Amino acid sequence: MVQYADGQPTGELTLRTLAMPADANAAGDIFGGWVMAQMDLACGIRAAERARGRVVTAAVKEMAFAKPMKIGDTLCIYTHVDRVGRTSMTLKVEAWAQRYLSDMMEKVTDADFVMVALDGQGKPKPVPAE
Ligand SMILES: CC(=O)SCCNC(=O)CCNC(=O)[C@H](O)C(C)(C)COP(=O)(O)OP(=O)(O)OC[C@H]1O[C@@H](n2cnc3c(N)ncnc32)[C@H](O)[C@@H]1OP(=O)(O)O
């Protein structure tokens, strides 16, 4: 049974992946940029589903890393489409670490990602109704 150290995750589990040695510095701490990239991938999946088409990342709002990720932890990314504008979607994104060979889940970071729906020419296009 998974135990959550920092409340419960918000949103839908969109991506799970394993933090590997190539993603870490010499001390075994996982690079923040790798975590951000996984969050971006998760937003790409979720926003493309919502927009039913191609999307791009327009902005990432302030981000702070509250806890380290370590080699062997499983990164779990939760996303929630918080707001839909005309062509943009704002997603609340949370990154949680399931600690190596344990059931303990800790929140590593969270952020708001703004994703924009694009047409075939790469121009913003309206997000369709649900
Ligand atoms: C695959 C990847 O994710 S690559 C990641 C890197 N991202 C990129 O390469 C994206 C590069 N940027 C772009 O292509 C363009 O700037 C775009 C498509 C994001 C926006 O194009 P623009 O011509 O500026 O379009 P426009 O001004 O109409 O904005 C489109 C929407 O994005 C929103 N937006 C644009 N920039 C921002 C921003 N910095 N912060 C918040 N929202 C933004 C606008 O408010 C608008 O939302 P709305 O239609 O819901 O009202």
Side-chain angles (χ1 to χ4, degrees):
M1 173 101 156
V2 173
Q3 297 176 61
Y4 297 98
D6 310 287
Q8 294 273 328
T10 303
E12 190 177 289
L13 180 59
T14 310
L15 192 110
R16 287 179 91 210
T17 189
L18 190 60
M20 297 295 282
D23 309 315
N25 65 17
D29 291 315
I30 297 298
F31 297 122
W34 180 81
V35 175
M36 283 182 73
Q38 306 312 307
M39 293 168 81
D40 197 30
L41 280 177
C43 285
I45 292 169
R46 191 75 197 277
E49 286 171 351
R50 176 63 187 83
R52 298 200 286 275
R54 178 179 166 189
V55 296
V56 73
T57 309
V60 181
K61 300 295 169 70
E62 186 181 315
M63 217 169 150
F65 293 91
K67 302 246 170 76
M69 277 284 298
K70 294 283 186 183
I71 293 168
D73 291 347
T74 298
L75 180 66
C76 304
I77 310 287
Y78 295 82
T79 63
H80 169 69
V81 180
D82 189 52
R83 179 185 169 274
V84 177
R86 197 180 77 83
T87 66
S88 69
M89 294 153 281
T90 303
L91 282 80
K92 299 258 177 220
V93 190
E94 294 185 1
W96 289 68
Q98 182 171 357
R99 299 304 180 188
Y100 184 54
L101 300 183
S102 87
D103 293 330
M104 180 54 70
M105 290 271 280
E106 292 187 309
K107 188 154 102 173
V108 173
T109 187
D110 60 76
D112 289 357
F113 279 62
V114 180
M115 310 297 289
V116 174
L118 299 181
D119 65 17
Q121 280 65 53
K123 299 286 177 212
K125 74 164 192 186
V127 177
E130 243 175 334

